[in-house]
Amino acid sequence: MPSMIVLNAKRTRKLPGVRSPKPVEARARRAIDSLMAPMLADVAARLAGLDSMTRIADVILALREAQDVWERVFAWKAEGLAGRWALDVDVIAKEKLGRAVGKVLGIDMALILDSPDVAVSVRLASMEAAGLIRKIPTDYIGRVSHAVYQSMRHQPFPEGRTLAEEIRLIGGFAEERARVIARDQTSKMNTNINQIRQTALGIQEYIWRTSEDSRVVGAPGGKYPQGNTMHGNHYVRNGKLFRWDEPPDDGHPGWPIQCRCVALGVVDRSQLREVAQVGKWSGPQTGWRLV
């Protein structure tokens, strides 16, 4: 269970939070959008002229063909996209944590040591993101096909929507899903990489810090006053001390879906391990292309 903060000011210092890098999230979102755009256009073209029952069977067959095509395309491109995405998070997280530790300790620390576990974390993060990207055409075209079937059976859509309106709504869901993937996976990558680097340095504890606004889950009178199993009550965790090896039920800051919280690592000088500088950071990879 988390405890209230009790820090020895002579021995411990609080690191600034290493927040999820928004520029990387934005680039990932644009890359996923650019991958989705031709798929959305292809599906729209296959649905063109769907104005009679005699055409529905042909359209359903065309959608099945489209799903096969786009599942292969996404499978081919997802791994490279996600790999560059995770590496970009790693580079920026490394620089931010190195700067933060250097400032707290009063030394020039250009680079945090690279534990072998970091490379494993980056690889696992890219695999998870790639898996989510690969599911996009299956989810989107599958839902469109289901809507066409529903129309063929003369089953009404919610709120009296027409088939065309239902398909537009499904497209909107797909675009929103891409936004969530970009934000959520960037946050998870950032949290995992920082956890590994902090614990490798001997930093075992952190202070939970929320965004301290009305969107914080659990905030009285806020937008989301109730926590749940996927995203606990983070309002009550603000300012409390946690250990990296004892995560809450829904994970460390940044791990629960859409979590904007950060972990402020607590540096205990008596436990901090020696850090060997092995190189110089050359800046984030601002020019990578995902597709």
Side-chain angles (χ1 to χ4, degrees), residues 104-167:
V104 166
L105 298 180
I107 61 177
D108 181 15
M109 185 175 291
L111 185 69
I112 293 295
L113 81 166
D114 281 320
S115 163
D117 289 342
V118 173
V120 174
S121 178
V122 170
R123 178 59 179 157
L124 291 176
S126 68
M127 289 170 62
E128 181 175 356
L132 293 172
I133 292 167
R134 283 194 294 267
K135 291 179 182 178
I136 290 175
T138 305
D139 294 342
Y140 168 64
I141 302 178
R143 293 183 69 174
V144 171
S145 298
H146 179 75
V148 174
Y149 269 117
Q150 190 170 338
S151 176
M152 180 179 69
R153 295 168 182 163
H154 301 288
Q155 297 174 340
F157 295 107
E159 301 176 359
R161 290 191 293 270
T162 65
L163 175 59
E165 291 169 339
E166 184 71 11
I167 290 172

Side-chain angles (χ1 to χ4, degrees), residues 1-2 128 184 187-188 191-192 195 206 208 210 215-218 224 226-238 242-244 246-262:
M1 294 294 292
E128 181 175 356
D184 196 52
S187 179
K188 285 180 170 63
T191 294
N192 288 346
Q195 175 183 353
Y206 65 85
W208 192 294
T210 71
R215 293 170 58 198
V216 174
V217 174
Y224 314 105
Q226 300 295 325
N228 54 58
T229 55
M230 294 290 291
H231 195 304
N233 185 333
H234 291 185
Y235 176 82
V236 299
R237 299 178 190 172
N238 191 40
F242 290 80
R243 289 185 58 85
W244 282 117
E246 296 177 1
D249 291 341
D250 60 341
H252 295 299
W255 181 256
I257 188 167
Q258 301 281 48
C259 178
R260 299 172 298 135
C261 302
V262 293

Side-chain angles (χ1 to χ4, degrees), residues 34-54:
S34 69
L35 187 55
M36 287 177 56
M39 177 189 70
L40 297 175
D42 180 37
V43 170
R46 293 173 190 262
L47 292 170
L50 181 57
D51 53 7
S52 68
M53 292 297 294
T54 58

Side-chain angles (χ1 to χ4, degrees), residues 1-143:
M1 294 294 292
S3 59
M4 295 303 293
I5 305 169
V6 179
L7 300 178
N8 184 322
K10 293 182 179 180
R11 288 176 47 193
T12 61
R13 294 289 299 276
K14 181 174 64 178
L15 294 177
V18 179
R19 294 192 175 275
S20 179
K22 290 297 181 181
V24 178
E25 176 190 325
R27 287 196 291 274
R29 170 65 193 278
R30 289 194 296 271
I32 297 172
D33 284 347
S34 69
L35 187 55
M36 287 177 56
M39 177 189 70
L40 297 175
D42 180 37
V43 170
R46 293 173 190 262
L47 292 170
L50 181 57
D51 53 7
S52 68
M53 292 297 294
T54 58
R55 283 272 298 138
I56 285 182
D58 293 337
V59 169
I60 290 174
L61 290 174
L63 288 173
R64 287 180 178 175
E65 178 185 74
Q67 184 170 328
D68 289 341
V69 168
W70 290 106
E71 284 176 349
R72 288 196 297 271
V73 171
F74 274 62
W76 173 49
K77 295 190 175 184
E79 186 171 351
L81 185 160
R84 287 184 289 271
W85 178 6
L87 285 173
D88 212 16
V89 173
D90 176 43
V91 169
I92 293 176
K94 182 192 305 182
E95 188 273 340
K96 285 184 176 180
L97 183 59
R99 186 186 303 164
V101 173
K103 183 177 181 181
V104 166
L105 298 180
I107 61 177
D108 181 15
M109 185 175 291
L111 185 69
I112 293 295
L113 81 166
D114 281 320
S115 163
D117 289 342
V118 173
V120 174
S121 178
V122 170
R123 178 59 179 157
L124 291 176
S126 68
M127 289 170 62
E128 181 175 356
L132 293 172
I133 292 167
R134 283 194 294 267
K135 291 179 182 178
I136 290 175
T138 305
D139 294 342
Y140 168 64
I141 302 178
R143 293 183 69 174

